[in-house]
Amino acid sequence: MQVLKFGGSSVAHSDAIKRICSLLEKKPKGRYAIVVSALENITDQLIQCGKLASERKNIYKNILEEIEIRHLNIIRELFPITYQSHLITWIKKNINDLENLCDGIFQVEELSKRSLDKIMSFGELSSSFLIAEKLKQFGLDTICKDSRDLIITDSQFGCAQVDFITSNHHIIQFFREKTSEYIVLPGFIGSTLENETTTLGRGGSDYTASILASSISASLLEIWTDVSGMMTANPKIVNQAFPIKEISYEEAMELSHFGAKVIYPPTIHPAMKKHIPIQIKNTFSPIDPGTLIYINKNTNISQPVTGISGIQNMALLTLEGSGMVGIPGYSKRLFEALSREKINVIFITQSSSEHSITTGIHETDIIKAKTVINSEFSQEIHQRRLDPLRIEKNLCIIAVVGDKMKNLHGTSGKMFSALGRNSINVRAIAQGSTEKNISAVIRKTDFKKALNTLHEAFFESPPKQINLFICGVGKVGSKLMEQIDQQQNYLLEELKLQVRVIGLANSKKMYFNDHGINLSDWEENINQKGIHMNIYFFMEKVWKFNLRNSLFVDNTASKEMAMTYEKFLKNGIGVITCNKIACSSDYDHYKRLKTLSRHFKAPFLFETNVGASLPVISTLNDLINSGDKINKIEAVLSGSLNFIFNHFVGKKYFLEVVKEAQLKGYTEPDPRIDLSGLDVMRKILILARECGCPLELSDIHQKSFLPETCLNSSSIEDLYQKLHQYRDYFFKIRNEAEKYKKRLRFIARYENGIASVGLESVKQIHPFFQLEGKDNMVLYNTYRYAEQPLIIKGAGAGAEVTASGVFSDIIKATK
């Protein structure tokens, strides 16, 4: 014989009842005990009726009328008119009984747990009655049996304890006497020996089914619900969660204890005792395999973790003091005190020095726990042998569960390294001796992030999800968005990366979408749906999202933006930037950013600070990390200046070429930065610092080619006017170089701790002579490359190549 349980949204309306009956018709011949639970919102309405009655508000009758109408509508839709009369009579009689009960509550102005249990039983009774009648109409051999006649409990109303000896006797006797093919029973309810209605607490309908299955030694217990089995994690929080095909009793209990609501621990015990398999199925998708819970789970040693779960709204209580060391009895007194107040302990850990005991409880029990513990240990606290109870709130607990974790090394290391990489601080840890569960207490605000992080670490084969927050969507930023959009399929298929842009900002507006911004219409969204840009509010939004694998991308030239990197890194969010201001600011700030990156394991990548997309910094780091010594660096580091001097030929004015470079996007937004040499100074400073030299910007020797008045121009327009005035001066510089068949190059040098920049004339034999267009070139003269320098050459300016460099850093950061 098999036991089937239907409930929740399965009996939401007449269509659901039809679906249940259809499923039952397809079952092979045999006997079935069918346990039915009430529709959840009907139960909620019944509870509300009782509360309203106790508060002297004579409007509970409106709710009863609504419940009656709903049942009558179901009857009229499910049954032919000739079949409806006795059903309607039955429903109305029960509604009248309910009304009389509520009237009594109204008179005494008190809602007891006993009365509430009786009120709530109506939902189960009516649901099972209607399903049994529908099965009869289909011609199936069916009877409906009141579970209160079979399941006997104590008088702890609201969550009664089952008397298994008496209940088993009643159940076995009933099923021996009744031979009907289908026996429909209401779940969730029982009765005392005095015939008072009781309820079995949370998950009580599943519990009813398990009690019946155990008593009659059923071959299988099927629980039909609205999900396709137990999931690897809560699917409302982890989108990638999937059903677990097979799971052991112990694993199922661990997951359910830590918040997996598909099944509750009491349901598992009776079935486990008789080794009865439990199959969880989806009423709305019956072809799905669901989850099979049984003793001989086929385990895969390569996948030690079965599921991840957690409990929110938790608090930690820590009792500590030197008076505990070596003295027996403290733990016993602590847990007895909590037990007296019926406070459930979720989590326990104790220091090996016996100096402290930490327990986790629900936040709702904090006041009771504090009162009873301080009272229990008042003498020790007064004598200062113990410290006053320490309470930490706004916490949650996450648990990784699996039978095979014990036999595979590195599971806990994998768990905590994944949390650490995403800056999720672990407050306390507990692991049972069986090693089937590793639990960690973390901040409540990190709950969603932690579940997704651990699910990705243990269950998800690539793709790995990367979440970007991008500031600056001008020339470089817009090209970056275009490149990400173009490469999404490649990244997904070849690199197994799912890159999502969650936040965008320009100087005026910012726009966010937690599901990922559509890159085909991002401009329209930021313009029409964006809100006023504020860098501090932008950061708050990033903290609030608290997404795993988050990166902040700065495509601006803003000093204010550059000064935010420290906060991002401290929150474990990597920084990718083409903004040179942070790395060329004071040396202590530069070193602090590098230190924070290492400490919080958050990447800080700025390859595009020097040479746009050229691998200038990464090559330098590879040389140093492999033990090479940098003797000298010579470099043309300004693509814009190289473009200007390469195109300053013939009758072209210097001003004309500068405007052309700006129009093509080769210069900074303010070309004075390029022409003054400041941009190149920043770049050689960054290279010197990457070599380990603690230089400041003021230490760099500069030989400017601009007249003093041009350097001191008050605006871009003022600069252009002065460049026009000095046109003959620039012609003279160019003609002097051409006279000796040389070319003008703005060169940066670093050697023996000294850095300099300036305009020079180079001969034909020099590598810089042949530089074309906006190309950059870097010569690394090192211990290994002493005779011929290592040369890096290529386009060093332009929005597209800079964006590709930023994009490359994003991909590096994912590794």
Side-chain angles (χ1 to χ4, degrees), residues 505-554:
N506 57 27
S507 59
K508 295 179 180 178
K509 290 188 174 184
M510 56 186 180
Y511 172 68
F512 299 89
N513 187 325
D514 56 354
H515 297 294
I517 295 170
N518 189 335
L519 300 186
S520 62
D521 60 359
W522 64 268
E523 290 180 276
E524 180 181 343
N525 281 321
I526 197 171
N527 290 328
Q528 295 184 3
K529 300 179 183 178
I531 58 177
H532 176 70
M533 171 57 179
N534 180 291
I535 183 58
Y536 301 104
F537 185 54
F538 183 92
M539 288 191 291
E540 285 179 9
K541 288 286 287 184
V542 177
W543 311 155
K544 188 174 181 181
F545 277 114
N546 202 19
L547 297 172
R548 69 193 189 282
N549 305 326
S550 290
L551 296 173
F552 171 64
V553 182
D554 180 15

Side-chain angles (χ1 to χ4, degrees), residues 86 104 161 253 259 261 299 327 345 457 500 507 635 658 661 670 696 717 779:
H86 79 284
Q161 300 299 307
M253 281 193 291
K261 297 179 180 178
T299 52
I327 307 298
V345 176
R500 306 191 309 164
S507 59
V658 171
D670 184 347
E696 299 289 356
E717 285 303 318
L779 310 180

Side-chain angles (χ1 to χ4, degrees), residues 273 346 536 646:
K273 188 175 181 181
I346 306 168
Y536 301 104
N646 274 329

Side-chain angles (χ1 to χ4, degrees), residues 651-663:
K651 295 182 179 180
K652 281 188 175 181
Y653 292 115
F654 188 74
L655 171 60
E656 184 182 348
V657 182
V658 171
K659 285 186 174 181
E660 183 182 354
Q662 187 188 30
L663 184 64

Side-chain angles (χ1 to χ4, degrees), residues 443-478:
R443 293 181 304 175
K444 187 164 63 175
T445 52
D446 286 331
F447 185 70
K448 180 179 178 180
K449 183 179 181 181
L451 285 183
N452 279 276
T453 296
L454 294 178
H455 196 273
E456 181 179 80
F458 287 106
F459 293 108
E460 297 173 30
S461 55
K464 180 180 181 180
Q465 189 182 93
I466 308 299
N467 298 295
L468 304 181
F469 297 87
I470 300 175
C471 277
V473 287
K475 291 179 180 179
V476 173
S478 59

Side-chain angles (χ1 to χ4, degrees), residues 123-140:
E124 317 295 324
L125 293 166
S126 63
S127 298
S128 56
F129 172 73
L130 290 175
I131 288 177
E133 291 299 315
K134 186 62 181 176
L135 290 175
K136 287 180 186 178
Q137 193 218 334
F138 281 173
L140 301 176

